[in-house]
Amino acid sequence: MDPESEGPPITTVTPLQQMFASCTGAILTSLMVTPFDVVKIRLQAQNNPFPKGKCFLYSNGLMDHLCVCEEEGNKAWYKKPGRFQGTLDAFLKIIRNEGIKSLWSGLPPTLVMAVPATVIYFTCYDQLTALLRSKLGENESRIPIVAGIMARLGAVTVISPLELIRTKMQSKKFSYEELHRFVSKKVSEDGWISLWRGWAPTILRDVPFSAMYWYNYEVLKKWLCAKSGLYEPTFMINFTSGALSGSFAAVVTLPFDVVKTQKQTQLWIYESQKISMPLQMSTWSIMKNIVAQNGFSGLFTDCDLLKESG
């Protein structure tokens, strides 16, 4: 074979380098996205004050986290008073009155879950992709789908019990001994599977998202490289491919995101009140209820994240 017809050698990235890169990317993403979610929550709290016992979703750009409102008065960051006229006004007033650090309120506890989940996800995806390509060939189109599904399954399965524990600790101050008793009691009463309660709706959203995202990402990346006459993708090609494939996957999986939000919130309500879950808590039943109440379009609208729990 003519050596001039071959492309440049591909640099091999080690798993440790992949873990470091995904960890760095996760932290940078959180730092950039969290201020927007903090402002969104503050605006929600201004329009619909958070009484004790309500819960809301907090997103750090990597994961959605269920947060429980247990603080009285205006001490909690999401309850601080402010007369905001809109998003930009909220940004400016929070910075001026509370300091710029307030835009990252609530971030550290969520990073304990989000960063490991991101590291597991991207490292597993890269490793599985390399393994499958070595077995099936470089041009096998199903590789991104299989690798994306397996990587997401692994990340969600590992993180789900930790997220349950984090939510419990956030709702009430637990010592490590009390936390151990809580986990032991839950396992003895409901079995180990109870630690993964809420896993199913998360999988229903995240697995299809990952499959569609990675498949479209790889296809778009190859197409843009071919159009540009490039052997390796540039930053803009990677960015454009990710943005387009992510937007498409997000729209398609939005119904499962709405169901996941409602089910996670309802799970917390029944857990906190220590009552058994009703039969209509299944994912399919929640989806049917949404359609019955709001029509089919209700599955494609951001549901109310604040649910009464008492």
Side-chain angles (χ1 to χ4, degrees):
M1 182 181 290
D2 185 3
E4 291 185 359
S5 65
E6 296 181 1
I10 299 175
T11 303
T12 302
V13 181
T14 66
L16 186 61
Q17 289 172 325
Q18 290 169 346
M19 292 172 68
F20 178 77
S22 56
C23 180
T24 304
I27 293 172
L28 290 176
T29 299
S30 292
L31 291 176
M32 288 187 289
V33 173
T34 297
F36 294 97
D37 207 60
V38 167
V39 168
K40 182 200 75 175
I41 291 169
R42 292 288 294 273
L43 288 170
Q44 286 178 342
Q46 176 180 270
N47 297 329
N48 300 288
F50 294 177
K52 183 177 180 180
K54 281 198 174 183
C55 49
F56 60 93
L57 282 189
Y58 175 98
S59 175
N60 54 24
L62 303 173
M63 290 176 64
D64 292 334
H65 301 270
L66 189 65
C67 296
V68 185
C69 182
E70 291 288 332
E71 296 283 348
E72 298 288 356
N74 296 321
K75 292 182 179 180
W77 65 267
Y78 46 83
K79 283 190 172 183
K80 289 182 179 178
R83 298 178 180 177
F84 308 130
Q85 303 301 315
T87 302
L88 181 59
D89 184 57
F91 268 108
L92 296 175
K93 285 182 177 177
I94 289 173
I95 293 172
R96 183 171 63 246
N97 299 330
E98 303 172 24
I100 195 168
K101 288 196 297 183
S102 290
L103 292 176
W104 288 273
S105 299
L107 177 60
T110 66
L111 286 180
V112 175
M113 302 294 113
V115 171
T118 305
V119 170
I120 292 169
Y121 177 47
F122 283 100
T123 304
C124 285
Y125 175 79
D126 287 337
Q127 290 297 305
L128 285 169
T129 300
L131 176 65
L132 291 171
R133 282 177 176 167
S134 68
K135 301 290 185 182
L136 304 176
E138 289 287 332
N139 296 320
E140 175 55 63
S141 61
R142 292 169 294 181
I143 288 176
I145 299 175
V146 175
I149 288 173
M150 296 303 295
R152 180 57 74 182
L153 276 170
V156 172
T157 302
V158 169
I159 294 300
S160 285
L162 301 179
E163 179 65 7
L164 174 68
I165 293 170
R166 186 205 65 82
T167 304
K168 193 69 177 178
M169 290 184 72
Q170 185 260 339
S171 66
K172 181 181 176 182
K173 298 300 180 184
F174 277 93
S175 66
Y176 287 108
E177 184 179 349
E178 289 173 324
L179 186 63
H180 180 265
R181 285 202 300 267
F182 160 73
V183 174
S184 300
K185 183 180 179 182
K186 193 167 184 63
V187 170
S188 64
E189 290 179 351
D190 303 321
W192 284 99
I193 197 68
S194 64
L195 296 180
W196 280 268
R197 188 168 287 171
W199 179 87
T202 303
I203 287 297
L204 282 174
R205 182 198 67 169
D206 289 0
V207 167
F209 178 93
S210 294
M212 284 184 283
Y213 172 82
W214 287 114
Y215 176 78
N216 291 323
Y217 172 77
E218 297 292 350
V219 169
L220 280 170
K221 190 171 67 171
K222 287 181 180 179
W223 183 78
L224 289 172
C225 283
K227 286 291 184 181
S228 305
L230 298 172
Y231 185 79
E232 287 291 324
T234 62
F235 170 79
M236 280 307 300
I237 287 177
N238 282 325
F239 181 84
T240 303
S241 301
L244 291 175
S245 58
S247 299
F248 173 76
V251 171
V252 173
T253 58
L254 184 57
F256 296 109
D257 192 30
V258 172
V259 172
K260 169 182 170 287
T261 297
Q262 287 207 9
K263 188 164 185 177
Q264 281 187 326
T265 308
Q266 289 179 28
L267 281 171
W268 167 255
I269 292 171
Y270 292 114
E271 286 280 343
S272 62
Q273 293 181 343
K274 297 180 179 179
I275 57 177
S276 59
M277 289 186 299
L279 296 176
Q280 66 268 24
M281 274 295 293
S282 70
T283 300
W284 178 242
S285 296
I286 292 174
M287 192 172 287
K288 287 197 297 184
N289 288 338
I290 293 173
V291 173
Q293 293 175 10
N294 305 309
F296 187 73
S297 61
L299 294 173
F300 291 89
T301 56
D302 190 12
C303 63
D304 184 10
L305 301 184
L306 300 177
K307 301 290 180 181
E308 191 78 47
S309 65

